[in-house]
Amino acid sequence: MSKAGPKAFARALPLMLAVLLAASGCAGVRPQPSPEGEAPVSPSVQVDPPVQTTTATVFYPDWQVQHLIPEQRQVPEGSPAELATRVVEELLAGPADPHLKPAFPEGTRLLEPVKLEGGQATVNFSGELDQVQGSAAVMAALHSLRLSLGDIPGIDEVRIQVSGGSGGELDGMVVETKSPYLYLYPVFPNPERTRYLQSRADQGLDTWRLDPAAVARFEGRMFGFTAAELQQAAVRQDGGRAEAYVTRDGTTYQFTLVRNPAAGEKGVWTIDSLNPMQWHEYDAVPAAVRELADRYAATTIGAAVAHSDRLYLIASVEEGEVRITSAEADGDALVVRVAEDGGQRLSIASVPLPGAAPDVVFRWEAEPTGPVARHTPAEELPRLYTAEGVGHPEVKLTGDAVIASAVSEPGRIAVKGYARHLFEATVVARMLDGQGQEVAVAHATAAAAMWNWGEFTIVLEHHAPPGEYRVEVGDYSMRDGVWQPRAVTYVTVR
């Protein structure tokens, strides 16, 4: 989005608007089949003489001004510029659903037909547009205009004029209509709207709302998915609940629909929530996540790696299939559920990065019975393997450090293990005698830090006499420098 001229609005809000408006995908208006039912006819369509009409989709803010909800209109056919003009007129007329909100200030008018040149549509509004107050209202107005015009052939961006170039805050603003981003905000269902939609269905109107797949493929555009993407969505119904899975660029998103319980099996369906978990194909994840997946591919393991603002979860099996199904907080742990069917040997998902750093615990939904069961008893998940592929099936990812082995040789002890939540990825090993006195100390850098489990090897050089010694692995507190033992084992020096 850009602004012509050094206007104060452009200086104050460009980053905010870029973030807010980039949160949606490409959607808007294009002549296309509408859901079975009634679409209001535009008041501009004259009954006499009859005209050919087409279906247009326009977007209005919901009751929380959180999402933009699509509505359909029948408008006269015409050129792209003529269609854009009629769509803008529909936006200014306001929504048919009384529970949606107008996107523009009352009294805002289109001063002249939309002009389309070189992929840019110029929309000249009356001065009432300058009455838009607050960032949410600005976002709603610009976002609804962008979505509603975005699929008209030949429109790549929309240039806003106010009174032909008055110099107002929005005058000269340019909105790009083609965006790869999605609008993944929480959904706030409106019970009053559900009752309104149910009353229409009871009258025989909009009967397509009795089909969860039809609702998902139409109103799912509120998240920024295109009509084409939603047409390919997988919709699974279980009683009065349905889930829609939409894939874009190798990542699958899920949102939930519910049937109006007050009407039983004749209830309308509405979108109830958006699942924060996302499922990813291997090629769609960042390189750091692929690196961890490569390290543990074809082994029985559950692993987690933080990247950007998400925590990526990896489940892999030696034989059979695995599928990450959910991740829920349970006290100080993030419990990740996996199933042995319906997936692949490698399953990757992600959730928003939690504010704290909980333990990530992988659990089977049900104890496996297929090929996975030969390698992964439910109580042993996850198992950890080294980068060389040598398995340590007895080692489980617990706490913040694990000692896999401590081998004593003349004059040295080699300590190998895994650690996480480390400051600058530094892990320390200490060798203590029977009186608790330090005999030797050494440190190394684990292969990862913070959330990620990293492999380490530390060699303790010593001149200790024969006997049994305590080996501690840990780090020093960043707060007060106090030693924090994370894992302990005992070795015998001969």
Short mmCIF file of all heavy atoms in Angstrom, two decimals, residues 47-75:
data_model
loop_
_atom_site.label_atom_id
_atom_site.label_comp_id
_atom_site.label_asym_id
_atom_site.label_seq_id
_atom_site.Cartn_x
_atom_site.Cartn_y
_atom_site.Cartn_z
N VAL A 47 -36.06 -3.35 -13.61
CA VAL A 47 -36.94 -4.45 -13.98
C VAL A 47 -37.37 -4.33 -15.43
O VAL A 47 -37.53 -5.31 -16.15
CB VAL A 47 -38.16 -4.50 -13.04
CG1 VAL A 47 -39.14 -5.58 -13.48
CG2 VAL A 47 -37.73 -4.69 -11.60
N ASP A 48 -37.53 -3.11 -15.91
CA ASP A 48 -38.00 -2.88 -17.29
C ASP A 48 -37.09 -1.86 -17.96
O ASP A 48 -37.01 -0.71 -17.50
CB ASP A 48 -39.45 -2.36 -17.26
CG ASP A 48 -40.05 -2.25 -18.66
OD1 ASP A 48 -39.55 -2.96 -19.55
OD2 ASP A 48 -40.99 -1.45 -18.80
N PRO A 49 -36.34 -2.20 -18.99
CA PRO A 49 -36.34 -3.51 -19.62
C PRO A 49 -35.45 -4.49 -18.85
O PRO A 49 -34.58 -4.05 -18.10
CB PRO A 49 -35.74 -3.21 -21.00
CG PRO A 49 -34.81 -2.08 -20.74
CD PRO A 49 -35.48 -1.23 -19.71
N PRO A 50 -35.63 -5.81 -19.01
CA PRO A 50 -34.79 -6.79 -18.31
C PRO A 50 -33.34 -6.70 -18.76
O PRO A 50 -33.07 -6.38 -19.91
CB PRO A 50 -35.44 -8.13 -18.68
CG PRO A 50 -36.14 -7.87 -19.98
CD PRO A 50 -36.62 -6.46 -19.90
N VAL A 51 -32.42 -7.01 -17.84
CA VAL A 51 -31.00 -6.99 -18.17
C VAL A 51 -30.39 -8.32 -17.75
O VAL A 51 -30.91 -9.01 -16.89
CB VAL A 51 -30.28 -5.83 -17.43
CG1 VAL A 51 -30.80 -4.48 -17.89
CG2 VAL A 51 -30.42 -5.98 -15.93
N GLN A 52 -29.25 -8.64 -18.38
CA GLN A 52 -28.50 -9.83 -18.00
C GLN A 52 -27.70 -9.51 -16.73
O GLN A 52 -27.05 -8.45 -16.65
CB GLN A 52 -27.54 -10.23 -19.13
CG GLN A 52 -28.25 -10.71 -20.38
CD GLN A 52 -28.98 -12.03 -20.15
OE1 GLN A 52 -28.48 -12.91 -19.43
NE2 GLN A 52 -30.15 -12.16 -20.73
N THR A 53 -27.77 -10.37 -15.75
CA THR A 53 -27.05 -10.14 -14.49
C THR A 53 -26.01 -11.22 -14.26
O THR A 53 -26.04 -12.29 -14.88
CB THR A 53 -28.01 -10.11 -13.29
OG1 THR A 53 -28.62 -11.39 -13.15
CG2 THR A 53 -29.08 -9.04 -13.48
N THR A 54 -25.09 -10.92 -13.38
CA THR A 54 -24.06 -11.86 -12.96
C THR A 54 -23.92 -11.78 -11.45
O THR A 54 -24.35 -10.81 -10.82
CB THR A 54 -22.72 -11.56 -13.64
OG1 THR A 54 -21.78 -12.60 -13.33
CG2 THR A 54 -22.14 -10.22 -13.16
N THR A 55 -23.34 -12.80 -10.85
CA THR A 55 -23.17 -12.85 -9.40
C THR A 55 -21.86 -12.17 -9.00
O THR A 55 -20.81 -12.48 -9.55
CB THR A 55 -23.17 -14.29 -8.90
OG1 THR A 55 -24.40 -14.92 -9.26
CG2 THR A 55 -23.01 -14.34 -7.39
N ALA A 56 -21.95 -11.24 -8.07
CA ALA A 56 -20.78 -10.57 -7.53
C ALA A 56 -20.71 -10.82 -6.03
O ALA A 56 -21.73 -10.95 -5.36
CB ALA A 56 -20.84 -9.07 -7.81
N THR A 57 -19.49 -10.88 -5.51
CA THR A 57 -19.28 -11.08 -4.08
C THR A 57 -18.70 -9.81 -3.47
O THR A 57 -17.70 -9.29 -3.97
CB THR A 57 -18.33 -12.26 -3.82
OG1 THR A 57 -18.83 -13.43 -4.46
CG2 THR A 57 -18.21 -12.54 -2.33
N VAL A 58 -19.34 -9.32 -2.43
CA VAL A 58 -18.87 -8.13 -1.72
C VAL A 58 -18.65 -8.49 -0.26
O VAL A 58 -19.27 -9.42 0.26
CB VAL A 58 -19.88 -6.97 -1.86
CG1 VAL A 58 -19.83 -6.39 -3.26
CG2 VAL A 58 -21.29 -7.42 -1.54
N PHE A 59 -17.78 -7.74 0.40
CA PHE A 59 -17.35 -8.09 1.76
C PHE A 59 -17.64 -6.96 2.73
O PHE A 59 -17.34 -5.79 2.47
CB PHE A 59 -15.84 -8.39 1.77
CG PHE A 59 -15.46 -9.65 1.04
CD1 PHE A 59 -15.41 -9.67 -0.34
CD2 PHE A 59 -15.16 -10.80 1.74
CE1 PHE A 59 -15.05 -10.84 -1.02
CE2 PHE A 59 -14.82 -11.97 1.07
CZ PHE A 59 -14.77 -11.98 -0.31
N TYR A 60 -18.22 -7.33 3.89
CA TYR A 60 -18.55 -6.37 4.93
C TYR A 60 -17.99 -6.84 6.27
O TYR A 60 -17.90 -8.04 6.54
CB TYR A 60 -20.07 -6.22 5.06
CG TYR A 60 -20.75 -5.79 3.78
CD1 TYR A 60 -21.39 -6.72 2.97
CD2 TYR A 60 -20.75 -4.45 3.39
CE1 TYR A 60 -22.01 -6.33 1.79
CE2 TYR A 60 -21.38 -4.06 2.22
CZ TYR A 60 -22.00 -5.00 1.42
OH TYR A 60 -22.61 -4.61 0.26
N PRO A 61 -17.63 -5.90 7.16
CA PRO A 61 -17.09 -6.28 8.47
C PRO A 61 -18.13 -7.01 9.32
O PRO A 61 -19.32 -6.71 9.26
CB PRO A 61 -16.72 -4.92 9.11
CG PRO A 61 -16.62 -3.97 7.97
CD PRO A 61 -17.61 -4.43 6.95
N ASP A 62 -17.62 -7.96 10.12
CA ASP A 62 -18.51 -8.66 11.04
C ASP A 62 -18.75 -7.79 12.28
O ASP A 62 -18.28 -6.65 12.37
CB ASP A 62 -17.94 -10.03 11.43
CG ASP A 62 -16.65 -9.94 12.23
OD1 ASP A 62 -16.22 -8.81 12.56
OD2 ASP A 62 -16.06 -10.98 12.52
N TRP A 63 -19.49 -8.35 13.23
CA TRP A 63 -19.92 -7.56 14.39
C TRP A 63 -18.76 -7.11 15.27
O TRP A 63 -18.87 -6.14 16.01
CB TRP A 63 -20.94 -8.35 15.21
CG TRP A 63 -20.38 -9.56 15.90
CD1 TRP A 63 -19.76 -10.62 15.31
CD2 TRP A 63 -20.39 -9.84 17.30
NE1 TRP A 63 -19.39 -11.55 16.24
CE2 TRP A 63 -19.77 -11.11 17.49
CE3 TRP A 63 -20.88 -9.16 18.41
CZ2 TRP A 63 -19.61 -11.68 18.73
CZ3 TRP A 63 -20.72 -9.75 19.65
CH2 TRP A 63 -20.10 -10.99 19.80
N GLN A 64 -17.61 -7.82 15.19
CA GLN A 64 -16.44 -7.44 15.97
C GLN A 64 -15.42 -6.66 15.14
O GLN A 64 -14.36 -6.32 15.64
CB GLN A 64 -15.77 -8.70 16.52
CG GLN A 64 -16.54 -9.41 17.61
CD GLN A 64 -16.26 -8.83 18.98
OE1 GLN A 64 -15.48 -7.90 19.09
NE2 GLN A 64 -16.89 -9.36 20.00
N VAL A 65 -15.76 -6.39 13.86
CA VAL A 65 -14.81 -5.79 12.91
C VAL A 65 -13.50 -6.58 12.94
O VAL A 65 -12.40 -6.03 12.96
CB VAL A 65 -14.56 -4.29 13.21
CG1 VAL A 65 -13.91 -3.59 12.02
CG2 VAL A 65 -15.87 -3.59 13.55
N GLN A 66 -13.65 -7.91 12.99
CA GLN A 66 -12.52 -8.82 13.07
C GLN A 66 -12.26 -9.49 11.73
O GLN A 66 -11.11 -9.66 11.32
CB GLN A 66 -12.79 -9.89 14.14
CG GLN A 66 -11.65 -10.86 14.37
CD GLN A 66 -10.62 -10.33 15.35
OE1 GLN A 66 -10.57 -9.13 15.61
NE2 GLN A 66 -9.81 -11.20 15.90
N HIS A 67 -13.34 -9.88 11.06
CA HIS A 67 -13.25 -10.49 9.74
C HIS A 67 -14.18 -9.76 8.79
O HIS A 67 -15.09 -9.04 9.21
CB HIS A 67 -13.66 -11.97 9.80
CG HIS A 67 -12.66 -12.84 10.49
ND1 HIS A 67 -11.53 -13.33 9.88
CD2 HIS A 67 -12.61 -13.31 11.77
CE1 HIS A 67 -10.84 -14.07 10.73
NE2 HIS A 67 -11.47 -14.07 11.89
N LEU A 68 -13.97 -9.99 7.50
CA LEU A 68 -14.85 -9.47 6.47
C LEU A 68 -15.64 -10.64 5.90
O LEU A 68 -15.06 -11.62 5.42
CB LEU A 68 -14.06 -8.76 5.38
CG LEU A 68 -13.41 -7.47 5.86
CD1 LEU A 68 -12.43 -6.94 4.83
CD2 LEU A 68 -14.45 -6.41 6.17
N ILE A 69 -16.96 -10.56 5.99
CA ILE A 69 -17.84 -11.66 5.61
C ILE A 69 -18.38 -11.42 4.20
O ILE A 69 -18.84 -10.32 3.89
CB ILE A 69 -19.02 -11.78 6.60
CG1 ILE A 69 -18.49 -11.82 8.04
CG2 ILE A 69 -19.86 -13.01 6.28
CD1 ILE A 69 -17.60 -13.00 8.34
N PRO A 70 -18.33 -12.44 3.33
CA PRO A 70 -18.83 -12.24 1.97
C PRO A 70 -20.35 -12.30 1.89
O PRO A 70 -21.00 -13.06 2.61
CB PRO A 70 -18.20 -13.40 1.20
CG PRO A 70 -18.02 -14.48 2.23
CD PRO A 70 -17.71 -13.77 3.52
N GLU A 71 -20.90 -11.47 1.04
CA GLU A 71 -22.30 -11.55 0.63
C GLU A 71 -22.34 -11.52 -0.89
O GLU A 71 -21.40 -11.04 -1.53
CB GLU A 71 -23.11 -10.36 1.17
CG GLU A 71 -23.44 -10.44 2.63
CD GLU A 71 -24.54 -9.44 3.02
OE1 GLU A 71 -24.84 -8.53 2.22
OE2 GLU A 71 -25.07 -9.59 4.13
N GLN A 72 -23.42 -12.03 -1.45
CA GLN A 72 -23.53 -12.06 -2.90
C GLN A 72 -24.63 -11.14 -3.39
O GLN A 72 -25.63 -10.91 -2.70
CB GLN A 72 -23.77 -13.49 -3.40
CG GLN A 72 -22.53 -14.35 -3.20
CD GLN A 72 -22.62 -15.65 -3.97
OE1 GLN A 72 -23.64 -16.29 -3.99
NE2 GLN A 72 -21.53 -16.01 -4.61
N ARG A 73 -24.43 -10.59 -4.57
CA ARG A 73 -25.40 -9.73 -5.22
C ARG A 73 -25.54 -10.15 -6.69
O ARG A 73 -24.59 -10.67 -7.28
CB ARG A 73 -24.94 -8.27 -5.20
CG ARG A 73 -24.76 -7.69 -3.81
CD ARG A 73 -26.12 -7.42 -3.14
NE ARG A 73 -25.92 -6.65 -1.92
CZ ARG A 73 -25.65 -7.20 -0.75
NH1 ARG A 73 -25.54 -8.52 -0.64
NH2 ARG A 73 -25.48 -6.44 0.32
N GLN A 74 -26.70 -9.90 -7.24
CA GLN A 74 -26.89 -10.01 -8.67
C GLN A 74 -26.80 -8.60 -9.25
O GLN A 74 -27.59 -7.72 -8.90
CB GLN A 74 -28.25 -10.64 -8.99
CG GLN A 74 -28.36 -12.10 -8.58
CD GLN A 74 -27.39 -12.98 -9.34
OE1 GLN A 74 -27.18 -12.81 -10.53
NE2 GLN A 74 -26.77 -13.92 -8.64
N VAL A 75 -25.80 -8.36 -10.10
CA VAL A 75 -25.59 -7.04 -10.69
C VAL A 75 -25.55 -7.17 -12.21
O VAL A 75 -25.28 -8.26 -12.75
CB VAL A 75 -24.27 -6.41 -10.18
CG1 VAL A 75 -24.30 -6.23 -8.68
CG2 VAL A 75 -23.07 -7.27 -10.58
#
